[in-house]
Amino acid sequence: MNEPSSTRTTISNPYLYRLQTRHFLLFDVLPFFGVAAAIGFLRVHPVGVAELVLLFVMWLVTGLGISVGYHRLFTHRTFKASASVQAALTIAGSMAGQGGVVSWVAIHRRHHECSDREGDPHSPNLFGHSVLGRVRGLTHSHFLWMRRHEYPNIAHYAPDLLKNRWLVKVARPYYYWVGLGLAVPAIACGLVYQSWAGIVSGFLWGGLVRIFVLEHTIWAINSFLHMYGTRPYESRENSRNGGIFALISFGESWHNNHHAFPESASFGLDWYRLDPGYWLIRLLAVFGLTWDVGLPTTQRMQAKRTAA
């Protein structure tokens, strides 16, 4: 007798696999060609200040949407936020092209539940410890797992989001938000240069190149930081810190800290560890837009300290 779909933790069927393949090709493979096209287009239209500013601004907005919105707010509920902030973070995170917020949250909660064990969607540590096994693991966890995988049941993993009808309504037009994230830099650059070449250049650099850069930064957390780095805190999986990448990852690279204290809005934990995502949460708190910001107690941190 088949298990009722409402009680399954994961769902697999040909329709979902087709959706996964389509998303993988559009938003994970296509940006590779976008980078190549951007480099080739330099012969037609040299990159200028406008493209670089748009690349940076769109990377910053969408990266904070993923780190602060998708991850710290919606997945782990490490703080509370006003409806306007929730909407802004949902739209910014959607423009990153890494999946709709409900699916993203379900996948990430599944990752924490099964981290580095059978059932983890993107562990690099399930292919053995040989050189070939490590290469296969890194390739799988960094990129290839998105081609086709068991889909975490959103009714099981994200019921809190599904009950928030207003948030679901904001998140539903996911592909339109991704399109907006591509259209904004294209239009802005077109206005700056007053040419079709400017539109194409803005689309490439502020759109596809930006998606490529952000994706591989975030994916490196799943892959390399579950295999290499430091482990200052005890955690049941193989999460690691990579502090050298803290700024460009919005603080996400304090990955061992995060797995040890998933309820913490601060991933750096200490004031001197760079954590731009946490800085934004604290800035919004000054204006009363975020509150109940979670942090582990000193006693709990000391209890989890490793000998190293």
Side-chain angles (χ1 to χ4, degrees):
M1 184 175 179
N2 291 332
E3 183 182 6
S5 60
S6 60
T7 62
R8 297 179 198 163
T9 56
T10 60
I11 303 172
S12 299
N13 61 55
Y15 175 70
L16 285 175
Y17 290 152
R18 286 195 297 271
L19 291 181
Q20 290 168 354
T21 299
R22 182 179 70 180
H23 194 277
F24 177 73
L25 293 174
L26 283 176
F27 303 125
D28 304 328
V29 175
L30 183 60
F32 279 95
F33 294 97
V35 171
I39 295 171
F41 199 65
L42 292 175
R43 299 173 66 90
V44 177
H45 181 90
V47 68
V49 174
E51 288 93 337
L52 296 178
V53 169
L54 286 165
L55 170 61
F56 175 77
V57 170
M58 293 301 297
W59 166 81
L60 182 65
V61 169
T62 56
L64 288 171
I66 292 292
S67 178
V68 177
Y70 274 35
H71 196 189
R72 306 187 203 211
L73 175 59
F74 296 122
T75 301
H76 295 291
R77 299 295 188 184
T78 65
F79 65 97
K80 295 178 182 176
S82 67
S84 59
V85 169
Q86 290 184 49
L89 290 172
T90 298
I91 293 169
S94 297
M95 289 193 296
Q98 296 185 19
V101 63
V102 177
S103 294
W104 199 101
V105 166
I107 290 170
H108 195 71
R109 288 177 177 175
R110 172 78 173 175
H111 162 65
H112 273 262
E113 179 183 74
C114 306
S115 190
D116 285 326
R117 295 178 298 171
E118 197 66 37
D120 186 342
H122 45 66
S123 173
N125 296 307
L126 302 178
F127 296 84
H129 300 290
S130 66
V131 173
L132 180 59
R134 286 181 175 271
V135 171
R136 285 184 62 199
L138 286 171
T139 305
H140 166 81
S141 61
H142 189 79
F143 184 66
L144 294 181
W145 72 274
M146 290 171 283
R147 292 177 305 171
R148 173 173 167 164
H149 59 87
E150 289 188 333
Y151 182 69
N153 188 348
I154 59 175
H156 176 80
Y157 285 103
D160 52 328
L161 297 188
L162 293 177
K163 291 176 184 176
N164 189 337
R165 294 184 179 181
W166 175 83
L167 179 66
V168 171
K169 186 176 181 179
V170 173
R172 183 173 290 123
Y174 164 70
Y175 284 97
Y176 290 100
W177 297 134
V178 177
L180 180 65
L182 297 170
V184 166
I187 294 171
C189 215
L191 292 173
V192 170
Y193 291 109
Q194 295 289 299
S195 69
W196 283 103
I199 292 175
V200 173
S201 190
F203 171 79
L204 290 172
W205 289 98
L208 295 181
V209 173
R210 177 262 306 172
I211 288 177
F212 176 88
V213 172
L214 180 62
E215 281 181 336
H216 285 275
T217 303
I218 298 299
W219 295 344
I221 309 300
N222 296 334
S223 55
F224 291 97
L225 291 185
H226 270 265
M227 194 172 282
Y228 305 105
T230 60
R231 296 191 76 228
Y233 295 102
E234 291 288 347
S235 58
R236 62 176 175 75
E237 78 307 300
N238 199 38
S239 59
R240 307 279 173 151
N241 284 344
I244 193 171
F245 306 112
L247 269 182
I248 63 171
S249 68
F250 309 96
E252 294 285 326
S253 66
W254 303 112
H255 199 52
N256 173 252
N257 296 359
H258 166 58
H259 269 271
F261 308 102
E263 78 284 0
S264 176
S266 169
F267 289 178
L269 297 179
D270 297 300
W271 67 266
Y272 55 86
R273 292 195 166 93
L274 303 176
D275 189 351
Y278 183 60
W279 300 342
L280 176 61
I281 295 168
R282 279 301 184 191
L283 177 62
L284 293 172
V286 171
F287 298 99
L289 297 172
T290 60
W291 60 92
D292 290 351
V293 179
L295 292 171
T297 64
T298 302
Q299 292 79 8
R300 189 155 179 264
M301 291 172 61
Q302 290 175 343
K304 282 203 167 189
R305 277 280 184 186
T306 63

